Amino acid sequence: MTLPESVYRDLDAHLAPVDAVLRARPRAAVTGRQPVHTVYVPADRFGPSVVATWGAEALAALDASSALPFPEELRDRVVAKLTREPVEDLRIDFEDGYGDRGADVEDAAAAAAGAALLSLAPAPPFVGLRIKSLEEGTRRRGVRTLDLFLSAVDGALPPGFVVTVPKVSAPAQVAAMARLCDQLELAHGLPARSLLFEAQVETPLAVLGPDGTATVSRLAGAAQGRLVGLHYGTYDYSAALGVAAAEQSLAHPAADHAKAVMQVAVAGTGVRLSDGSCNVLPVGPGIQAAWQLHHALVLRSLARGFYQGWDLHPAQLPTRFAATYAFFRGGSGPAVERLSAYLDRRSSGILDEPATARALAGFLLRGLDCGALDPPEVPFARPDLEALWVS
């Protein structure tokens, strides 16, 4: 005796609304490599040689130090990275790092930044622009800056270009940005859906709305597929909660709560997460302490599933890459063993499921992408890892 077909039909009908919600769950418009950091450069300091300058200054800071902030065996790999690709993701900043300098000055700076972008060398894999927020007081200025910047670029947007929208508090702002992208693409002759953006989570309303729901969980659905990332804003968010300045940190419990909500909100959507910045800069007599702090914070973020963060000073690059390399190199051996055992259907002492196999493949791909691992150290073909990661 088995169940009649009517039971299956009734179950399908009962769960049809849930099925529709799951099918409609938004997916981000980007796949593949995620940068390990975003470097924020105030617009007035941006120029064609900014990446080379940051790399040279990072190497100089490392050379001038009598003690490494990381194991000696990583030095050559970090130096090679700083020489080859010191910046993975560059953001030209017209918001807090730039400030309010008057309409004429910012107009000129936006046009100059667009022109400089065309001759940026070396060009990082990812680049973008942070505008002022879409709140009432700065909305017009932010949109005009983006408009003038795109005019100067004249349709020649580089691959990996993204717009950063700060201080997002409501899905309506994300929806408005998506509509604005439609209009900007039309006005500047850009391919449809070529403008993508990320939202900064740095206001309490972005995490918990007036109705008690998690606002951030509705942002991707309002973005029409254009939202590719959520970036945590360390200091604006902490200050808005009344956290004392000396206690504001990526490791504060309030920060952990906000980031945990972000993580759950976009799980499975492809929207990428980035941790925020550390404002204790490795300069002067305190360089060693600042390096140790930054190194520890980067490792902490990686362990919690935040594979990207902000860097604000060239001397933060050595510890960004050293911590990232230590994380992936330290975990690569067990990851290779577990994934091999899973694919060979043999026991490794850990019973891994398909979801964990995907995570293991993603771990190895991230390590390869950033330079922590060399291809000969990963005994799997990259296409096989990529197929497993997105399966």
Side-chain angles (χ1 to χ4, degrees):
M1 186 70 176
T2 59
L3 291 173
E5 181 62 26
S6 60
V7 172
Y8 294 96
R9 290 196 301 269
D10 179 69
L11 190 63
D12 287 340
H14 183 72
L15 293 178
V18 176
D19 295 337
V21 169
L22 294 176
R23 284 195 302 270
R25 188 154 172 77
R27 294 289 302 176
V30 294
T31 57
R33 179 182 180 182
Q34 178 179 2
V36 303
H37 69 166
T38 300
V39 163
Y40 276 79
V41 177
D44 60 308
R45 301 180 195 170
F46 173 70
S49 63
V50 67
V51 172
T53 298
W54 270 61
E57 292 183 7
L59 286 168
L62 201 55
D63 289 341
S65 176
S66 59
L68 292 176
F70 49 83
E72 176 66 36
E73 60 265 26
L74 289 176
R75 182 186 182 95
D76 289 347
R77 191 172 291 270
V78 170
V79 168
K81 176 69 169 181
L82 293 173
T83 303
R84 179 185 72 254
E85 189 183 69
V87 175
E88 293 196 1
D89 185 19
L90 176 68
R91 203 65 77 248
I92 308 164
D93 188 17
F94 278 94
E95 207 231 353
D96 286 348
Y98 182 79
D100 182 0
R101 306 187 183 206
D104 292 343
V105 173
E106 185 160 337
D107 281 355
L117 180 65
L118 299 177
S119 54
L120 182 62
F126 304 90
V127 68
L129 186 80
R130 179 164 73 162
I131 62 173
K132 289 179 170 61
S133 82
L134 295 183
E135 293 177 352
E136 184 178 8
T138 53
R139 182 185 309 137
R140 191 176 188 88
R141 177 66 264 176
V143 173
R144 178 168 173 79
T145 293
L146 179 55
D147 191 21
L148 291 171
F149 177 87
L150 292 175
S151 292
V153 172
D154 195 24
L157 284 180
F161 182 84
V162 66
V163 180
T164 305
V165 184
K167 298 179 175 60
V168 170
S169 297
Q173 292 170 316
V174 169
M177 186 65 192
R179 290 196 298 272
L180 177 63
C181 288
D182 287 334
Q183 295 162 329
L184 287 166
E185 287 166 352
L186 184 62
H188 294 283
L190 297 171
R193 306 192 66 76
S194 59
L195 284 178
L196 306 174
F197 62 90
E198 58 200 15
Q200 286 192 258
V201 177
E202 51 186 343
T203 69
L205 284 176
V207 177
L208 189 67
D211 59 355
T213 62
T215 306
V216 69
S217 69
R218 306 202 304 274
L219 297 185
Q224 300 174 26
R226 293 184 185 267
L227 182 70
V228 296
L230 295 177
H231 287 225
Y232 176 66
T234 311
Y235 301 100
D236 282 85
Y237 186 81
S238 298
L241 296 186
V243 177
E247 302 299 326
Q248 293 172 9
S249 165
L250 299 177
H252 192 279
D256 284 341
H257 170 260
K259 289 182 286 187
V261 175
M262 291 166 58
Q263 203 165 25
V264 173
V266 297
T269 68
V271 175
R272 293 167 169 178
L273 297 168
S274 174
D275 214 333
S277 61
C278 174
N279 65 358
V280 180
L281 302 182
V283 296
I287 185 170
Q288 289 294 330
W291 263 343
Q292 291 169 7
L293 174 63
H294 187 245
H295 190 275
L297 288 172
V298 173
L299 283 174
R300 187 180 190 274
S301 296
L302 290 167
R304 284 158 175 75
F306 278 71
Y307 297 103
Q308 184 176 352
W310 295 6
D311 288 325
L312 306 177
H313 190 278
Q316 290 181 323
L317 300 184
T319 39
R320 169 68 61 184
F321 295 128
T324 301
Y325 288 0
F327 178 77
F328 285 109
R329 293 192 67 77
S332 63
V336 166
E337 169 60 25
R338 290 174 64 180
L339 188 56
S340 296
Y342 174 83
L343 294 174
D344 295 342
R345 298 297 189 267
R346 59 181 171 83
S347 175
S348 66
I350 301 175
L351 185 60
D352 286 321
E353 297 185 353
T356 304
R358 288 195 293 273
L360 291 167
F363 181 93
L364 295 172
L365 284 169
R366 290 182 187 276
L368 288 167
D369 285 342
C370 71
L373 304 175
D374 299 321
E377 296 177 297
V378 180
F380 308 104
R382 185 180 182 96
D384 293 339
L385 289 174
E386 291 173 340
L388 185 58
W389 195 14
V390 301
S391 63

